[in-house]
Amino acid sequence: MKLILRGKTVEDESTVNAIFKILGDKYSRKILESLTDSPKSALDISKECKISLALAYKKIKNLKKCDLIQVYTSVIVDGRKYAVYKSKAHPIMVLLNHKFPSQTIVFDSDNLVNCLGCESLNCGVYYDERYNGVRSICYSCGANWPES
């Protein structure tokens, strides 16, 4: 398996494992999704993701360690200084068989589509060399179909 982050292959196996562990955590995924469009403070993240502030800071620390989010400027409001965070994780690609690249899953919020089967919004696109083209996949029900 091969992981491609922002167009570059991640070579370090411990980093790859850490990123997969983060992607497997629902709160970390919620935070990454929350930070895709605009930078937010930890307080804004905790409110939007409906998690405690302590949990938000813990997940932010892990996301920073794997270089999936970036700390932007510190903002001073009412005499208080705080950081804002933005996702650096898009797109993330996973080559399931990098010796014979038959399938690539792209985790990219810009490419999410509605499922034709269960109507879930939890879908994405991938390139499948077996079909010589781009296909859509539903991460909820597993359905896949050619991208038009």
Side-chain angles (χ1 to χ4, degrees), residues 52-123:
S52 71
L53 188 57
L55 183 59
Y57 275 117
K58 181 180 176 183
K59 300 301 179 182
I60 287 168
K61 179 182 175 184
N62 291 336
L63 291 164
K64 282 193 317 187
K65 191 187 300 184
C66 287
D67 198 32
L68 295 175
I69 62 172
Q70 179 175 353
V71 180
Y72 274 81
T73 58
S74 294
V75 180
I76 300 175
V77 176
D78 298 330
R80 291 187 167 162
K81 183 178 177 182
Y82 64 94
V84 288
Y85 307 93
K86 175 111 173 95
S87 173
K88 294 171 54 178
H90 290 61
I92 297 175
M93 299 175 70
V94 180
L95 294 172
L96 299 176
N97 184 349
H98 66 277
K99 291 180 182 166
F100 305 100
S102 61
Q103 200 173 62
T104 303
I105 299 176
V106 180
F107 297 93
D108 185 351
S109 62
D110 294 336
N111 289 322
L112 293 180
V113 294
N114 287 353
C115 176
L116 298 177
C118 70
E119 298 184 10
S120 167
L121 294 175
N122 191 23
C123 301

Side-chain angles (χ1 to χ4, degrees), residues 15-69:
T15 302
V16 170
N17 291 336
I19 290 172
F20 279 126
K21 185 175 181 180
I22 285 172
L23 292 176
D25 178 72
K26 70 178 180 179
Y27 299 115
S28 296
R29 287 193 313 268
K30 280 184 177 183
I31 290 171
L32 282 173
E33 187 177 334
S34 168
L35 297 176
T36 303
D37 296 325
S38 63
K40 293 181 178 88
S41 68
L43 182 61
D44 292 336
I45 292 167
S46 72
K47 287 178 181 177
E48 185 175 318
C49 296
K50 297 178 182 154
I51 59 175
S52 71
L53 188 57
L55 183 59
Y57 275 117
K58 181 180 176 183
K59 300 301 179 182
I60 287 168
K61 179 182 175 184
N62 291 336
L63 291 164
K64 282 193 317 187
K65 191 187 300 184
C66 287
D67 198 32
L68 295 175
I69 62 172

